[in-house]
Amino acid sequence: KILIREYGENVKIVGIADHSGCAEDPDGLNHEELLRLFHEVLCIGNFQPDKLGPKGVLHTCETEEGVKARNSMHNRLVADAFVPCGGRPNTIDINNYKQFIKDDGTPTSKLIVEGANLFVTAEARQKLFEDAGVFIVKDSSANKGGVITSSYEICSAMLLSEDEFFEHKDAIVEEVLAKLRGLAKLEAELLFTEADLYGESLPEVSQVISNAINAATDALSAALETLSEEDQDQLLPLFRAHLPQTLAELSFDRVHERVPQQYIKNAIASTLASKMVYKEGTRFINALPKTKLAETALRYIQKEKEVIQLMESLEKTSMSEDEKKKILELLDAGGARTALNIPDI
């Protein structure tokens, strides 16, 4: 559903497998039939055979042949991308990864995006990259959206009544999707940029990104504990910016009353940590001594506050909207790092 919603007729889905079997069609499976299965909560074994193209085939796990076809689909079908979103952990491992590589040395799919955790082992990821140049977007980068969405669900439950949520659900969902797209874009840009810049595989860089964000989050959490309540309140715009716009407009005045202070601190820390890593890169975080990371994070918070204040002041000026937009973009892109006056790392 997501692929069809986001890309429409531009996406061709050549195969889908689940517990019931697999449907395959090199010319692309019928979108309307796939959406029917989704809305009726039916497995792929219920795909109507008359909806297949001339080269299409439906295998069900009612036969031994069907089980074998389902289990080998990812090794047989040629596609631009393979997206495992379930299945057994370690399905592709060091002993069988070569089955994903064709006789001519090229992979059946040049790109694997791990919608499910642990489908490919770490050793197999590295060998697929080394032997066949497979780009693998690791689970830690590919499926962060679920964790982020859960945090918005928690915020909605704390800040809105049930009636308020359902009244504004459609708007909130669209805003959450927009935030997920934006964050996914930032992750992907950093992932591919650093992999290309430093000559490392995507899974290696994905782990480095996760580690850098976690280290920065821990440092920022510690730094926030040293701020006065007044200084912490000045950072609330960061928490507001973290929320979907409709949720913020409806309930931001209830934050102190309904949201635990520690939750707010954690949200600010993780938001700023991600912002630091995505803007400055993992080398900026990793090059700082651990003893200096908290201090730098605290200074980053202070400079971020100054940047926010400058941006708010700029919004009130009478300059042209185009000029204002350019200055705001520059401040948002590099203001805090530039203000820290740290030599390039």
Side-chain angles (χ1 to χ4, degrees):
K1 180 186 176 182
I2 294 172
L3 285 171
I4 294 170
R5 181 190 68 205
E6 297 292 323
Y7 301 106
E9 293 302 318
N10 290 324
V11 65
K12 182 166 71 172
I13 301 169
V14 297
I16 291 181
D18 64 17
H19 70 280
S20 68
C22 62
E24 306 173 15
D25 195 331
D27 295 324
L29 294 168
N30 183 281
H31 284 190
E32 290 183 3
E33 178 65 1
L34 291 175
L35 290 174
R36 180 187 74 82
L37 297 181
F38 172 81
H39 290 298
E40 295 182 17
V41 196
L42 296 172
C43 54
I44 198 66
N46 292 282
F47 195 98
Q48 294 294 327
D50 61 358
K51 298 293 185 180
L52 292 166
K55 301 176 184 177
V57 62
L58 176 67
H59 297 285
T60 68
C61 289
E62 295 173 354
T63 67
E64 185 177 345
E65 179 185 354
V67 172
K68 289 180 179 178
R70 188 275 310 273
N71 292 348
S72 63
M73 188 192 77
H74 60 283
N75 293 326
R76 295 182 290 101
L77 281 187
V78 176
D80 294 322
F82 169 49
V83 186
C85 295
R88 295 180 180 177
N90 307 328
T91 296
I92 299 178
D93 61 23
I94 196 64
N95 298 310
N96 64 22
Y97 79 92
K98 289 185 179 179
Q99 296 174 23
F100 197 77
I101 303 173
K102 296 183 290 183
D103 291 340
D104 63 1
T106 61
T108 54
S109 298
K110 186 73 173 177
L111 173 67
I112 298 176
V113 181
E114 296 181 348
N117 291 338
L118 307 175
F119 190 86
V120 188
T121 67
E123 296 85 0
R125 289 188 191 113
Q126 193 62 29
K127 292 299 290 182
L128 284 169
F129 174 69
E130 293 172 356
D131 294 1
V134 180
F135 293 103
I136 302 179
V137 181
K138 188 175 174 292
D139 46 22
S140 55
S141 285
N143 59 45
K144 285 181 176 178
V147 176
I148 297 167
T149 302
S150 293
S151 74
Y152 289 135
E153 290 175 349
I154 293 169
C155 285
S156 296
M158 287 191 289
L159 291 169
L160 300 179
S161 68
E162 187 173 335
D163 288 342
E164 285 177 318
F165 175 75
F166 281 107
E167 181 182 352
H168 300 279
K169 178 182 175 181
D170 290 344
I172 292 172
V173 168
E174 283 302 314
E175 290 160 8
V176 169
L177 288 173
K179 282 185 173 290
L180 292 179
R181 292 186 193 103
L183 291 168
K185 184 173 184 288
L186 290 172
E187 177 87 14
E189 287 175 344
L190 181 61
L191 184 65
F192 282 86
T193 296
E194 295 209 347
D196 182 60
L197 190 61
Y198 303 115
E200 297 172 340
S201 68
L202 293 178
E204 290 175 312
V205 176
S206 176
Q207 192 60 54
V208 170
I209 292 173
S210 294
N211 292 343
I213 289 175
N214 289 338
T217 298
D218 291 343
L220 283 160
S221 295
L224 282 170
E225 295 295 336
T226 69
L227 295 182
S228 67
E229 192 171 318
E230 182 181 352
D231 285 339
Q232 289 180 24
D233 282 346
Q234 289 184 27
L235 289 169
L236 278 176
L238 292 169
F239 183 67
R240 183 186 178 107
H242 163 74
L243 298 173
Q245 183 177 346
T246 299
L247 180 58
E249 290 174 351
L250 288 170
S251 62
F252 194 69
D253 59 348
R254 312 169 191 169
V255 164
H256 279 311
E257 167 190 342
R258 299 191 181 184
V259 182
Q261 188 64 24
Q262 192 58 50
Y263 187 94
I264 296 172
K265 289 179 186 177
N266 292 343
I268 291 173
S270 61
T271 299
L272 267 177
S274 298
K275 190 172 186 178
M276 282 177 66
V277 173
Y278 289 142
K279 278 189 175 182
E280 319 302 348
T282 62
R283 266 46 179 189
F284 172 73
I285 302 297
N286 295 335
L288 292 169
K290 289 185 178 180
T291 54
K292 293 288 185 182
L293 185 52
E295 176 190 338
T296 303
L298 182 56
R299 290 176 57 207
Y300 196 96
I301 289 175
Q302 298 297 337
K303 296 304 179 184
E304 190 73 24
K305 282 166 48 182
E306 293 175 15
V307 170
I308 290 170
Q309 290 168 355
L310 283 172
M311 292 173 73
E312 289 175 347
S313 298
L314 186 62
E315 286 283 10
K316 300 172 185 176
T317 63
S318 59
M319 70 173 61
S320 74
E321 288 302 315
D322 285 344
E323 288 180 322
K324 188 185 297 184
K325 183 180 177 182
K326 289 177 182 177
I327 296 173
L328 286 170
E329 287 174 351
L330 286 171
L331 282 171
D332 186 54
R337 166 70 184 272
T338 303
L340 282 174
N341 197 29
I342 295 176
D344 289 339
I345 297 172

